[in-house]
Amino acid sequence: MKKTAALSQQKQIAGELDRRVAQRTIELGDAHEELGKNIVERGLMEEKLRQEEQELKQSEARKAAILESALDCIVTIDHEGCITEFNPAAEHTFGYRRVDVMGRHLADIMIPPALREKHRQGFARYLATGEARVLGKRIEMTAVRADGSEFPVELAITRIPLDGPPSFTGYLRDITERKRAEQALRRSEAFLAEGQHLGQIGSYSWRVATDEITWSAELYRIYEIEIGVPVTLELIRSRVHPEDVTLIEKMKMVEQSREGGHNFEWQYRLRMPDHSIKYMHAVAHSTRDQDGQLEYIASVQDVTARRLAEEARDKARSELTHVARVMSLGTLTASIAHEVNQPLSGIVTNASTCLRMLAADPPNVEGARETARRTIRDGNRASEVITRLRALYGKKDPTIESVDLNEATREVIALSWNDLQRNRVIVQQELADGLPLIAGDRVQLQQVILNLIRNASDAMSTVDDRSRQLLVRTEADEDGHVRLSVKDAGVAFAPQSADRLFESFYTTKNDGVGIGLSVSRSIIENHHGRLWATLNDGPGATFSFCIPCGSELATDADDNRDLAPDVTDAA
Amino acid sequence: MLQVTPIVFVVDDDVSVRESLELLIRCQSWQPEIFASAQEFLKYPRVLVPNCLVLDVSLPGLNGLDLQRIVAGERTDMPIIFITGHGDVPMTVQAMKAGAVEFLTKPFNDDVLLTAIRAALERSRTALGLEAEMRVLRDCYASLSQRERQVMALVVSGLLNKQVGGELGISEITVKAHRGKVMQKMKANSLADLVKMAARLRPAPAAITAA
């Protein structure tokens, strides 16, 4: 029994053993297979690792290349603020070598002393609370170079996304040049604005296709419209004087014709809400913008003050003209008295002689008759003198007639003869034969001639070392002008004052007022002529004027200024 | 002396004045000579009859005051009466200082002018008489020899014949002979006469010696 039990147990054990061997064999087989798999996997892993390592290397190289060649400064710091990277651009900008700054605190290297404490606080706050004021934003601040000089930088800071203690990369750019350019631009703009303001010149652009109008600040001021209000043609129209509005339409017509490259210049008036009038002078130039669209660039000047001054000047000049006449009359009184006295003296003597002849025994009747005839002749002469004077000084509106300049000149010379002789002036006349007639106001022209002759005479009043020669010449030049020149041997004028001679109240005479030449020029210009002065080769000066043959006198239809130069209406 | 017709010169550039004066002067039986300018007048030869000049101040070219300067220097026998259309004080003063007889403003009273002309002609006549005497005197003096002039000069200065001889290194006899010649040639009646003549000749000794 016991043996059976032992056999059975033995058999059982053997069976168990076999089963376990079999199982183990299976297990080993599995394990072997697994092992094989593992070996393959491991190979793959190793391959992958190698690849990753390669990629990492490449990435590092790329990063190095980026750091190396980046135009911006790239600086990285660790969580304590110590520098862990400093690229060549940073070296160049800050003036440090990389090796010298690695591991040093950022604040000591790049931040101006005044800002260091603030930087430290911000950094500490971030580390403690995670609150960042500067991360991920473009900020501008001041940095400091190795040599201590400060300069503006633009920078962006990012946190490097890694586990563990934070580290940061900063990208910095030196913006000194940009700041300077910005400042220059601001200055230039301020300049332009101030210039426009001072000159009361506004400018605008007008894109015709879209009616997009841009005004300068000064133009807003001139139009008295609040700056920034959108400008429309309607708005402009509401300001432009109703009589000048048609101009806008005309301009639009031209715009619509779409022809480029035009220049316009025009004058117009504004009527302000308080009904005051402003005078504008505008110049516009058409161009094509980038899209080929027509665009007008215009500048508009407020010429109101100038216009008012011109009007005042014209008025003053016409008053001056009258004063000039009256004054000439005053200074010529002695000469006039003399003119009339000559024939009067002859009359008195003749009449006395006549009486003596008749009283003789026997009476000398034939002699008396002769003296009576001469008395009549002298009476007529006196009368002619009076007539001439009345023509010259009478207040008469300008009358256009055909004027023989020679005849007019002879009369003036005759009238000033004694004046000239008293001043020991030797008058030569070279009056051209067959001089064409000119249309003009004879009296006014004679005033000019008289003025030139008297000036010439005055210019020679102190000349004693040479003869006081005065040459009055008339001639017709080729281009249809009649010219008169008065040449003296006097003290002349300084070459640099040649332009000023014709200004009102400019005089080189001690007792002169300085209106003669300015009035003379007005008169000649009214005759479409020109009056000018030249210095002689020898002593003295020559004053000349020329007037086109057959010219019509410029007329002022709207007022009674008889001598003021014509001012065309700017409207 | 023969009764000669005085000449009245008129220089005025104004024809009315000129010709009316011409008639007035002729009416007085004087001979008028009229000119429109100083230059024209200066071309007229000098006259030896009583004459005067009626002169306008304002003239073309050479004016009246300039002409006065020339006339006063060369023609002492020609008094000047100024006429002017506008007499101003400085001009009048200048003319009168330079010896004008009268300064009249046009139109003038004919009586005033004629009175002035008469006075001027009288002055001219006197001047001419003096001048004629002077001319005779100068002619006489011119006829003296060099030695005679030396003797005359010393004699009229009050020296005795003997002293004159001593001065000139000649004998008293010779001095006497020269002295006689001088008295004869100078037509002097006495030493006092000769002294007077010498005094009259003195104002222009340079002209005399040059002659």
Side-chain angles (χ1 to χ4, degrees), chain A residues 61-74:
Chain A
R62 270 201 299 274
K63 191 188 103 189
I66 288 169
L67 283 176
E68 197 71 29
S69 60
L71 293 173
D72 287 348
C73 308
I74 301 172

Side-chain angles (χ1 to χ4, degrees), chain A residues 258-316:
Chain A
R258 300 261 165 160
E259 289 168 25
H262 277 295
N263 282 322
F264 299 95
E265 186 168 355
W266 71 100
Q267 308 209 9
Y268 62 102
R269 289 164 293 174
L270 297 182
R271 192 167 67 182
M272 310 317 290
D274 64 357
H275 293 286
S276 64
I277 300 291
K278 285 188 177 184
Y279 293 90
M280 299 289 129
H281 179 105
V283 186
H285 176 70
S286 67
T287 74
R288 297 270 169 195
D289 65 10
Q290 296 106 313
D291 308 326
Q293 295 293 334
L294 196 62
E295 180 175 5
Y296 276 87
I297 309 291
S299 111
V300 179
Q301 186 173 18
D302 181 351
V303 293
T304 309
R306 196 166 78 194
R307 219 10 234 272
L308 295 178
E310 280 170 0
E311 279 172 11
R313 184 201 64 194
D314 292 343
K315 187 164 172 288

Side-chain angles (χ1 to χ4, degrees), chain B residues 150-163:
Chain B
Q150 288 172 339
V151 170
M152 176 175 161
L154 294 171
V155 166
V156 299
S157 72
L159 297 189
L160 301 171
N161 288 348
K162 196 174 169 183
Q163 291 167 312

Side-chain angles (χ1 to χ4, degrees), chain A residues 211-388:
Chain A
D211 268 350
E212 189 186 332
I213 298 171
T214 315
W215 273 14
S216 76
E218 185 58 26
L219 198 56
Y220 278 104
R221 254 195 296 272
I222 291 172
Y223 272 67
E224 292 175 21
I225 291 169
E226 203 179 319
I227 292 180
V229 170
V231 181
T232 60
L233 280 179
E234 270 320 301
L235 184 64
I236 295 171
R237 200 171 280 138
S238 71
R239 279 283 193 270
V240 174
H241 193 283
E243 290 171 20
D244 295 343
V245 161
T246 50
L247 238 119
I248 296 180
E249 305 307 326
K250 266 189 221 159
M251 273 194 71
K252 280 209 88 173
M253 295 288 285
V254 179
E255 316 308 341
Q256 280 158 1
S257 75
R258 300 261 165 160
E259 289 168 25
H262 277 295
N263 282 322
F264 299 95
E265 186 168 355
W266 71 100
Q267 308 209 9
Y268 62 102
R269 289 164 293 174
L270 297 182
R271 192 167 67 182
M272 310 317 290
D274 64 357
H275 293 286
S276 64
I277 300 291
K278 285 188 177 184
Y279 293 90
M280 299 289 129
H281 179 105
V283 186
H285 176 70
S286 67
T287 74
R288 297 270 169 195
D289 65 10
Q290 296 106 313
D291 308 326
Q293 295 293 334
L294 196 62
E295 180 175 5
Y296 276 87
I297 309 291
S299 111
V300 179
Q301 186 173 18
D302 181 351
V303 293
T304 309
R306 196 166 78 194
R307 219 10 234 272
L308 295 178
E310 280 170 0
E311 279 172 11
R313 184 201 64 194
D314 292 343
K315 187 164 172 288
R317 191 176 280 174
S318 96
E319 281 164 9
L320 270 182
T321 307
H322 185 67
V323 171
R325 272 204 238 170
V326 172
M327 290 218 355
S328 319
L329 181 63
T331 51
L332 268 184
T333 302
S335 166
I336 293 160
H338 188 71
E339 282 292 332
V340 179
N341 261 345
Q342 297 281 24
L344 267 183
S345 179
I347 290 166
V348 171
T349 307
N350 279 330
S352 310
T353 310
C354 185
L355 286 178
R356 281 173 197 282
M357 287 174 169
L358 291 175
D361 189 18
N364 178 355
V365 176
E366 193 41 52
R369 200 171 276 141
E370 176 58 24
T371 52
R373 267 198 289 273
R374 292 191 184 184
T375 306
I376 293 165
R377 180 197 63 183
D378 294 342
N380 286 335
R381 280 190 65 211
S383 163
E384 279 166 27
V385 170
I386 302 289
T387 309
R388 274 206 300 263

Side-chain angles (χ1 to χ4, degrees), chain A residues 332 335 339 412-429 450 452-458 460 468 470 472, chain B residues 58-61:
Chain A
L332 268 184
S335 166
E339 282 292 332
V412 172
I413 292 174
L415 194 62
S416 33
W417 192 248
N418 279 286
D419 224 13
L420 292 170
Q421 278 172 7
R422 191 161 58 248
N423 201 12
R424 280 181 285 155
V425 173
I426 300 164
V427 183
Q428 273 179 280
Q429 301 180 38
L450 178 65
L452 296 185
I453 287 177
R454 285 186 52 213
N455 279 349
S457 172
D458 289 349
M460 295 192 283
R468 301 179 179 179
L470 176 75
V472 183
Chain B
S58 310
L59 286 174

Side-chain angles (χ1 to χ4, degrees), chain A residues 504-559:
Chain A
S504 294
F505 303 116
Y506 180 81
T507 184
T508 57
K509 299 182 201 168
N510 291 332
D511 54 354
V513 178
I515 51 181
L517 280 175
S518 103
V519 170
S520 294
R521 180 172 264 190
S522 301
I523 292 173
I524 295 301
E525 284 174 356
N526 253 14
H527 285 79
H528 304 294
R530 209 159 61 81
L531 172 64
W532 70 97
T534 48
L535 289 169
N536 297 337
D537 286 339
T542 301
F543 284 77
S544 317
F545 68 77
C546 66
I547 291 177
C549 305
S551 77
E552 294 279 313
L553 188 66
T555 49
D556 290 299
D558 57 339
D559 64 20

Side-chain angles (χ1 to χ4, degrees), chain A residues 163-178:
Chain A
D163 295 336
S167 58
F168 307 90
T169 304
Y171 303 88
L172 294 94
R173 186 177 296 164
D174 181 349
I175 55 172
T176 309
E177 279 309 315
R178 197 173 77 199

